[in-house]
Structures are given as C-alpha cells and as structure tokens.
Amino acid sequence: MFDLQWLLIAVPLASGLGLLVWGKESDAFGHLIATVASTFSFVFGLVLFLELTGAAAEDRSRTTNLFTWIDAGRFHVDMSFTFDQLSGLFVLLVTGVGTLIHIYSIGYMAHDERRRRFFAYLNIFIAAMLTLVLAADYLVLFLGWEGVGLASYLLIGFWQHKPTAAAAAKKAFVVNRVGDVGMALAIMLMFAQFGTTSIAAVNGSASDPGSGAIDSAGGSVATALGLLLLLGACGKSAQVPLQSWLLDAMEGPTPVSALIHAATMVTAGVYLVVRSSGIYDASEAARTAVIVVGLVTLLVGAWIGCAKDDIKKALAGSTMSQIGYMMLAAGLGPAGYAFAIFHLITHGFFKANMFLGAGSLMHGMDDEVDMRRYGALRAAMPVTFVTFGLGYLAIIGFPGTAGFFSKDRIIEAAFADSFWVGLGALIGAGVTAFYMTRMMMMTFFGPKRWIGDVEPHESPKVMTIPLMVLGAMSVLAGALIISDFIPTWLEPVVGSEGEHELGIPVWLMTLIITLTAASGVALGVWLYRREIAVDAPADADVSFFSRAGRHEVYGNELNDAVVVRPTQHLTRFLVWFDAKGVDGLVTGVADRLGDTSQFLRKPQTGYVRSYAATFFGGALLVVLALLAVTLA
Amino acid sequence: MTEYLSLSLILFTIGAVGVLVRRNAIVVFMCIELMLNATNLALVSFSRQIGNLDGQVAAFFVMVVAAAEVVVGLAIIVSIYRARRSISVDDANLLKS
Amino acid sequence: MTTFWLLAPLMVVSALGLLFVRKAVHAALCLAVVMISLAVLYAALDAPFLFAVQIIVYTGAIMMLFLFVLMLVGVDTVDALKETIGGQRWIAVIIGALFGITVVLAIAQTVSGAVVGLDTANANGNPYGLAELLFGKYVLAFEFTSALLITAALGAMVLAHQERLTPRRTQGDLAAQRMRDYAELGRHPGNPPTPGVFARHNAVDTPALLPDGTAVDASISPSIVARGQVRDGYDDDIEIVQRQLEGRDTGDDTIGGEK
C-alpha cells in the first residue's frame, strides 16, 4: 500500500493543474473537485497512518522510490518518499487542516469570480507541502520547498488588482529566496562532503547513533550545514532576521493566512530542523543558533502582537512568536524535538481556528479588519465567539487545553537547558496571554465601536462547521501528550528526551507558568475593559514600545537600510559605470578615432598651393638628407 | 662659379615661393618658368666649370621641353577659364575632403 | 664679372617683383627682364648659342605666348592682397628661407671646384660643339624631343578646340537679326559710324557726329568709354576755325579772347 503513497501528492497536483488548464468551463464545480482531491489525500493519509500504528515500532518507516530523478556521474538522486512517524503526522495535519480550509473557502470565496483558480492554487499548495514532508531526499524536499513558496506567492497575491497584495507577494517570495540560498548551499555542501543528499544517509537514524554520514565528518561541516539549513528555515518560517514578509502576507484572503501562514507552510522550517536531527545533534553551535533565533523571534513576535490593531496582523505576530517557541524547542535537541512537533500540531489547530474565526468576523463586519472598530461581538456572532474563545484558551495555555500541555513542556525543557532561555520563554508566555486577551477584549467585549452601517451576523454553516471542528481539536489534542503518545511515537525518528533535571518539581513549574499567564490575562482585561479610541492615537502620543511594535520592531526599516539601499546604490553605480565607463571606453575609442581622422583630414584642403607647400617642404628634407649623407 | 650657382639657387627659391604664394594661374606658371631658367643657369655654369658642352645641351633640351610644357599648360588654362570664368588656382579645389 | 654683378641684383629684384606685383602683365614684364638678363649671363659664360636661343625662344616665343593668353583670359584680374589659405604665406616664407639658406650655403660651397673653361670645347665654335653632341651622343633624345613638340602642339590644338554647338550664323541670319533689332529695339540697322566721322578729329577717342551735331556713342570702342576717355566731339574747334577764316584770330586757340 505504501508503494502508492505518491498518490497523496499526485491527486491534488493533478486536480490543481487540471483546474487551471480546464479553464472557465469548470468554474461552476471547480471548487468541489479541489475539495474532493484534498479530502482524498486526507483519507488515504489516514489509512496509511493507521496502518503504521498497527506495525511494530522499528518497522514504521516505509520508503518508496518512484524513479531515478538525476543520474549524472557521481550525483544520484531518487524521487523517493518516506512515510514514517514524523511525516505521517505532518501528512495528517496538512491534509486535515487543508481539507477543512477548502470547505471553509467554498463559503468565504463564494462571491469571488476567480474562485476556481483559488482552489487550484490551494491544491497545488497541498501537493507541494506533501512533497516537502514526504521527501526522502533533500533535493526532493527542496522541490516541495520551492513549490510551497510558489503557491504562497500565488495565493498572497491572489487579489492581483490590489497593488499592496502584489507587493506583499513579491516581498514574501524575495525574502524566502534569501532563505532558499541557505537551503541550496546546504544541499551543495552535503553533496560535496558526502556525495549524497539522501536524508537517511546524511542524518543516520536516531535508533542507531553514529550511523549517518554527518557523524564521520567534522564538527565544522555539521555546524555549517546546521547554520545554512537554519537560514532556509528562517525564511520559510518567518523567523528573525527573515520575518518581514509574514505580516505583509496578511494581504491574501483569510483562508490562505489560515492554511499557509499559520498551520503548514511556516512550520516547514521546524520540520526541516527536526528532520535534520542528525546534523543538529552533531553540532553544539548550530543548536545554540537555533535556540537564539527561536528565543529572539518569540519575544519580537509577541512585541508586535501587542501593538497591532489589525486582527490578522496581530494573529500573524502571534504565529511568528509561537513558531519561535517551536524553534526553541527544536534547538534543545532530542529533549525538545518531540515537544516542538507537538506544539506545531496543536498550534496548527488553534491558529488555523483563530484565523478562520477572524475571517468569519471580517465576513460579518463587512471586511473590516481594525479591532478598534469591533467590540461587543459576542452577542452578534456567538459561534465564532465560542470557537475563537477555545482557540484563545489553548494559546494562553489554559489548563486542560492542548496549548497548556505543549507550551508547558517546552518551557520546562528550556529551563532545564538554561535558566535565561527558560526565563525568556516564560516571559513570552506572559506576553502571549496579554496580547491575546487584548484581542478578545477589543473584539468581543466592551461597547460597540462599529462605524458605518454594519450588521454583524453569524457566518453560514459551511464556514462555521470547520470552526467548530478546529475548536474542538484545540482542546482535545492535549490528549495526545497526556498519553505520552507523541514522544514515544517519534522516538525512532528523533531520539528520546533523556532525563533533564529541573531543580524544582514539575508541578511548581506548571504553577509558575500558569500564574504568569494569568497575570498577563489580568493585565489585558484591566487595560482594555474601558473605552478604546476608534482611531488609533498618533505615533508621537504612544510609548516607545507601542511605536516599535506598530512598526514591527523596525524590521522593514532595517532591511531597507542594510540590504535595499546599498543594493540600489550598487545598481545605480553599476549603471553609471556602464554608461560612462564601459560605454565611454567603447564610444571613446570610436570618438578618438574620429578625432584622429578629422585631424588627418586637415591636410586635404584641395588647394594646389598647400600641396605645393608640402612638395617644397619635402624637397627641403631631401636636400638636408643628401647633405647629411655627403657630409657625414 | 659659386656666385653663378648661388644666383641660380636664389632664383630657384624665389620661383618656388612664388608658386606657393601667387593665386593667378598664369603668374604661377611664370614662376615655374623662372625655376626652369634658374636650372638652366646652373647647367650652363657647370658646363663651363667641367669643360664640356653636355651642360649646354641639357639646358637646350630643358628649353625645348619648357616650351612644349608652356604650350600645353596655357591651353589647359584657357580651357579652364572657358569652363569656369576664373583663373585662380584656389578655385580648383574639388579634391577637398 | 662686372656683367654678373651688374645683372645679378637686377635679376633678383625682378624675380622678387614676380612675387609682389599685383597685375599679371607687370609680372610678365619682370620675368622678361629676368630672361634677358639670363641670356646675357649665358653669353658671359661662353654659351653664345644659348644666348641667342634664350632670347628668341624663351623671351620671344614663350613670354609672348604668356602675354597672349593673359590678354585672352583676363588682363584686368588683380590678385587680392589677402591670403585665403591660412598660414600659407608664413609657410612659404619659412620653407623658402630655409631652403634658400640651406642650398646656398651648403651646396654652393661644396660643389664648386676649379673652372676648366670652354675654350677647348668651343674650339670649332660653340654651335659646332653643340651640334656634335646633339647629333652624336644625344641624337635619340633629340628625336624624342621633336616628337614631344609635335605632340604638344597637337595637344594644345585639341585642348583649345571648341566644338560648335549651334550652327554657324550666315550673313543672311545676321541681316535678319539686324532688322529684327531695328523693329523691336530701335537699334539703327546700318553700320555705326567710325570715330570722328563729321567730327573735327578722327581720333579713336572722338565720337562721330550725326548731321544734327549730336555725338554717336556707338562709334567709340567700349573700352575707351569704360575708361572715361571720350573726347567731346563737338569741340570748340569749329568756332576757332570760323574765327580763323574770318581773320580775327591771332592763332590763339581761345574763345572770346579769354586766356
């Protein structure tokens, strides 16, 4: 059966491409075909996953080789896919959330005339993301990597008539490209050092430490590879320093933000780090870099989330921060890999849920995104309120929800590794609670601040059913960790956590975390239960922190100063040099030749007398020469 | 002997300068004749110095050739005058680039 | 020697005149002076034959040829003093000076030697000696030169020939044209009177008089008219003659006794 795992990718891909080619004829039913294709992938993925659960622990990695992709001398790459514990989880997450979002989009994009195309792009995205997670070779992974980048570009810029959307899509692609450079260099380095780019060959297997090619290479190779792969991951997962595209990507339709920029594509970076556990286990420096990146991003994302009034941008800041947590966990080594993946899955549920909830709010509020214009919506849109609330509880780590378990474990592991890392993660949790509470207060509570003649109403069933499903998952997924399912399940892939001493009992840790979150909630409620101005105060009237948060901690300005302006200067200089220097040289040669010929033209006056003068001068020279010869 | 040669060379130089300076075609021709005559004087002086008459025979031939040359040259000037109504040598500058 | 020192300055000045005079006819005269002086110098250099040939051929034929063509082509053309080609005069003077100084100083000094003289060569007379060489050693050159002369004459004929473009006007055509001019322009059909007809004088500059005493402008050559040298045909001479006939006149050519 696993020989057919390529169908998981092929069906959505064929559906997507087919819908694009079929054209306007299929406008009426194109969305249904796409949803069916996505559902097929989910169902088939579930079947394969269940078959894996039935198998023995050592036998849970099934690799299929479709064909030999590249066979050029020493370089040999197979188009092969591996369905194992880790990729199985991702397949379920991607196809499950993906299918729910397909259903949601039937309603959300009902009035858009290019809906068929939207669904085709969504299918292409699913296919590319599955290629990424199922790949058994880094080059095949890169194929999926680029594919999701393309799908993201197409989907962010879906409303292509809007210049802001087009610019945001371009920005996302370009910043991702910077990360892709790291990825490409890593693959090339792998080939140069090991002669192979197969994931299994490079990393070895966790159950058999030291079997990978990376272990026999030097520590510097592992560090180099680790850092390069981290660069790629930063681009895809919007980690600092390549985070500037994520908030702009909110220009795309809300289902896109939910699927790609919350649940799936942005987690590809974390997947990459966890999949390359062999490389990161071999290099202390690379792991430290991952931890630093994760920590900085989780704090920066939280900072931004506190200051944004656009609900989608606030959620994007939150995504950035949560992925920071996942990166932090992944950087902790075998102690954190499993928790990173667990948090990834739970985050996929509650963040997708909240984004779809935001979409529902926007649908009801006539596409208004500014939370300052919301208020008192819990009565008008009850289902959205409840499901959004479930997601909120999960993200702040309310005891019992999925988020409680996943985040707790990460903070514990962080403290076990280093006090300061743990402290940073703890503060991040507090700030997360604060800004999410702010969001809830501004949106659902308080007085009505609606402007214009909006009549908020609940969204149709096709939109609320997926909300309910995801809301339920946000709470129930905690069961996965209580039963210790995830760490055991993933152990053959990523290794076991080993013992870590915390210094304090686990229940005390949990209490501290809960109290920190509670204080964040309290601060949020206290600050935002009063009147909130409908128009945001000017930049000069707010504190430095608010100002910096609004400007996304000046990330864009930094990019501009460090990269964009010097490049513009360089290009301007090159243009000038080409025009003046190179062209000057070429035309200069031509001009000098012209001048020389003009100069040489002067003797040709046409006057007999000037020619006679030349004769006479020549005669004089001859006489002098004769004299010289005879006298010498 | 030197004085005759010097005189001949001075006349030659004056004739050459005249060719360069005068614009009337016939006067230029006359300057050329002056140069030829100066050459004749030199030939005759050398003939006297050397002691045989070859120099004089040469001068004689020069005269004959000069005569033929004058005939043809003046015919050309007349033709040009008929065509262009001008005998300035500066007007024949069609080779100007 | 004296001949040389007398004639040399003269020749140099005349040659310089060739450079500086404005009218072409004056230049021709300067050249003629140079040529005749040269002839005398040839005579002084024991070349009597060349002396004669120089005067006959060069001065007599070639210079005359020059003057004829000058008359044909424009005796009035005066060379403008301003030089049209930039720097030409300077170049000419400088190169000329350099050349002159170089050759005179260098060549004139180095080439001279002992003068042998032509007494032995002229033993049987100068023409005899020349003839010996001309028809002996140089007979071939002589033949070719004669061919050259014939060719030159032919060439000149061809060059100066003008093809008739319109048919020759016969006497009948001329007569018809005269009548037409009388009809259209009022020009007198008859021959214009020659100068001085019925006038007191028949000098070239005196116009003819019509029976009523008016002067005929057409009787005077246009060049004299252009020079403004026409005499009044209706002179006071008539009154003077009348007075003379009446016996009043004392031979004084004045009118009314005025001096």
Side-chain angles (χ1 to χ4, degrees), chain A residues 104 108 159 162 250-255 257 310-313 315 354-371 374 377 381 384 388 443-444 454-457 459 463:
Chain A
Y104 181 90
Y108 192 81
W159 288 320
K162 280 172 48 175
M250 298 300 120
E251 290 284 339
T254 313
S257 310
D310 180 332
I311 189 171
K312 284 180 70 174
K313 291 212 165 49
L315 284 173
M354 283 201 280
F355 263 109
L356 293 183
S360 173
L361 285 167
M362 283 162 61
H363 181 90
M365 291 294 286
D366 215 16
D367 283 335
E368 177 64 66
V369 287
D370 193 338
M371 288 193 287
Y374 285 177
L377 282 173
M381 305 173 75
T384 308
F388 201 94
T443 308
F444 293 110
V454 290
E455 291 172 12
H457 53 281
S459 306
M463 285 168 69

Side-chain angles (χ1 to χ4, degrees), chain A residues 10 30 69 71 150 176 215 234 340 349 364 390 406 413-414 422-423 439 456 459 524 572 575 592:
Chain A
W69 184 14
D71 190 14
L150 172 68
N176 262 250
D215 301 294
C234 284
F349 293 136
L390 287 175
S406 59
L423 186 63
M439 192 184 290
S459 306
R572 233 173 275 144
V575 168
R592 294 292 85 73

